[in-house]
Amino acid sequence: MKRRTLLKAGLGGVGAAAVGTGGTFGWWWSAADIDTVGRVEFNRRLVIPPLAPARRDAEGRKVFELRAAPGKHRLRPGRRTATWGINGPYLGPTLRAARGETVRVNVRNELRETTSLHWHGMHLPARMDGGPHQPVKPGETWSPAWTIDQPAATLWYHPHPHGATARHVYRGLAGMFILDEPKTEPTGPGDRALPSRYGVDDIPVIVQDKRFDDANQLDESHPRMSEVGLLGDVICVNGTTGPYHPVTTERLRLRLLNASNARIYRFGFDDDRPFALIGTDGGLLPAPHRTTRIQLSPAERAEIVVRLRPGERTVLRSFPPDLGLNVWDRRFAGGDDALGILELRAARALQPSPRLPDELAAAPALATRTAAVDRKFDLTGFTINGKSMDMRRTDFAVDLGATEVWEVTATDGTPHNFHVHDVQFQVLSVDGKPPPPELAGWKDTVHTRPGVPFRLAMRFRDHSDRTMPYMYHCHILYHEDQGLMGQFVVVEPGEKPGRPGRAGSGGHGHH
């Protein structure tokens, strides 16, 4: 925490003038921001991750096969980069399933070290969650199975090995998991009117930042002045640098996923055109929210619909994000950065798209803004409530069927966010006020601005297990790896939690 010591000595709040007068601090300051706007040559067609093939087994389950292995991928022109991937050299295929389907995923580890795969945003039993208690050793296959029981949403999967998540995600182990509503059941007007042809007018946009060395290999070093971990100066979308996407329809749905280790993006278009935010982490919003910016911290998702005219081009950018930090902390956390992300190129003739409906989905209604707080969480340094993660400690137990209100506050002036496994939550209030429209739907991750309490309501409606925990943690992966994480179990009312276990024993899906 060298930089924190400097801040306490009085350098933190004085701004660029105080640190930019020359010498070491002046160099650090002048080199700390990144601006690629107008400097990116969008000359590589955006790669669309393939839909993962699936088969039906004898029990009628939808079975996916995933294989994590090292590879080499041309992330940018020049020498190929050593990477990790799933069913390929970098990233993984898009998994797709509908509510009510039972899925089984055979996860084969062909790396030289233990990893895992966590189904981020998924409601499922703790033993199938893919957290640090479900390690997959080299040469092993882990085969979780569960029934999809939540609304249509854009979820994702990524490793969650204890203390090594940042490195595994950075090297390329991640992919989307899209949930749909059953085709056999009637859908609302929102579902029918939304762009939904994968790869045509419904596009995954997995955004990551990278740093490269002179040999075109990934630079995994931790910047000296950064307390958030690695911030890259090259943007990859679906593993493509300098990407463009040819648009053939009047409206385009972009499923934005911040799959970066630490960077917070504030997405918008270079011409400030408005777009409709239609969904966030856990599914559709109550109504489209028309805006020109949407900010996503690591692991957050947003579904937006943008309209284009024939023949025009526009660039999706990241504008300097609102981090709520002082001028020094903001700069070294990426808060002054402006980045070119993806160019959209409309064809000379575009297929017509239906207008968006005025209503999309029911709003979360678990509790009111004045509901009593059940638990408080203070995020500071690498601790939650003064404790660092301990795999052997269960921090608390929640009764099956309970609805709880958690108040989460980042108290140390460092960028944090907060993610809870198993549940999608309702944001009740931000600093005591009603949440803004972009937080009006189901969420599983939220950016916690320093000193601002967030009240979250969540229901633990099934999947009890007294020994197998779920995680709650900061999704800035350096923070998570350093211990900014805790774990809880869901128990039957009156039941006591047991000692945290591992899914690798007792026949829980390894072979």
Side-chain angles (χ1 to χ4, degrees), residues 369-432:
R369 185 158 55 95
T370 57
V373 173
D374 297 287
R375 305 181 196 276
K376 289 190 175 184
F377 302 83
D378 289 338
L379 316 183
T380 182
F382 301 135
T383 68
I384 301 178
N385 294 341
K387 295 181 180 180
S388 186
M389 173 64 180
D390 185 341
M391 293 273 285
R392 301 164 297 180
R393 182 189 72 234
T394 298
D395 291 285
F396 56 87
V398 177
D399 283 347
L400 181 67
T403 297
E404 293 197 352
V405 176
W406 295 6
E407 184 174 276
V408 184
T409 310
T411 60
D412 66 346
T414 300
H416 293 301
N417 67 8
F418 193 74
H419 168 54
V420 186
H421 289 210
D422 177 50
V423 295
Q424 293 287 336
F425 52 72
Q426 173 191 0
V427 180
L428 296 179
S429 66
V430 179
D431 202 15

Side-chain angles (χ1 to χ4, degrees), residues 28 63 90 102 139 153 248 284 339 342 383 388 404 411-412 433 450:
W28 277 338
V63 181
Y90 188 77
T102 299
T248 59
L284 297 178
L339 305 161
L342 168 67
T383 68
S388 186
E404 293 197 352
T411 60
D412 66 346
K433 304 178 181 63

Side-chain angles (χ1 to χ4, degrees), residues 3 222-231 262 332-333 478:
R3 181 161 64 89
H222 186 143
R224 187 173 184 179
M225 299 298 289
S226 173
E227 287 184 359
V228 297
L230 195 153
L231 293 172
F332 288 96
Y478 173 65

Side-chain angles (χ1 to χ4, degrees), residues 79-228:
R79 182 180 177 184
R80 289 190 302 167
T81 303
T83 55
W84 291 355
I86 298 170
N87 295 6
Y90 188 77
L91 295 180
T94 297
L95 277 60
R96 197 155 197 170
R99 193 203 306 231
E101 284 190 303
T102 299
V103 299
R104 174 183 169 120
V105 188
N106 296 323
V107 180
R108 175 77 176 173
N109 181 10
E110 295 186 5
L111 302 169
R112 293 183 178 179
E113 61 183 272
T114 297
T115 190
S116 72
L117 273 189
H118 164 56
W119 319 108
H120 186 117
M122 193 77 73
H123 173 59
L124 76 179
R127 292 176 185 271
M128 310 301 173
D129 186 53
H133 290 282
Q134 290 89 46
V136 188
K137 296 178 180 179
E140 285 191 344
T141 298
W142 176 55
S143 300
W146 70 96
T147 300
I148 306 296
D149 187 18
Q150 61 194 99
T154 300
L155 310 185
W156 68 304
Y157 59 91
H158 62 80
H160 213 305
H162 186 48
T165 297
R167 181 163 51 87
H168 287 218
V169 174
Y170 186 68
R171 292 184 178 183
L173 299 183
M176 272 196 181
F177 200 139
I178 297 176
L179 302 186
D180 299 309
E181 295 296 342
K183 294 181 179 180
T184 56
E185 297 182 9
T187 57
D191 298 304
R192 291 194 297 269
L194 296 176
S196 58
R197 290 178 291 170
Y198 183 83
V200 179
D201 60 1
D202 185 353
I203 308 299
V205 181
I206 304 172
V207 183
Q208 300 172 300
D209 57 336
K210 305 293 181 188
R211 287 208 317 265
F212 294 90
D213 63 21
D214 292 340
N216 232 18
Q217 302 307 299
L218 292 175
D219 180 351
E220 299 180 3
S221 62
H222 186 143
R224 187 173 184 179
M225 299 298 289
S226 173
E227 287 184 359
V228 297

Side-chain angles (χ1 to χ4, degrees), residues 17-38:
V19 295
T21 56
T24 302
F25 289 113
W27 181 87
W28 277 338
W29 180 269
S30 63
D33 70 321
I34 299 169
D35 187 348
T36 67
V37 173

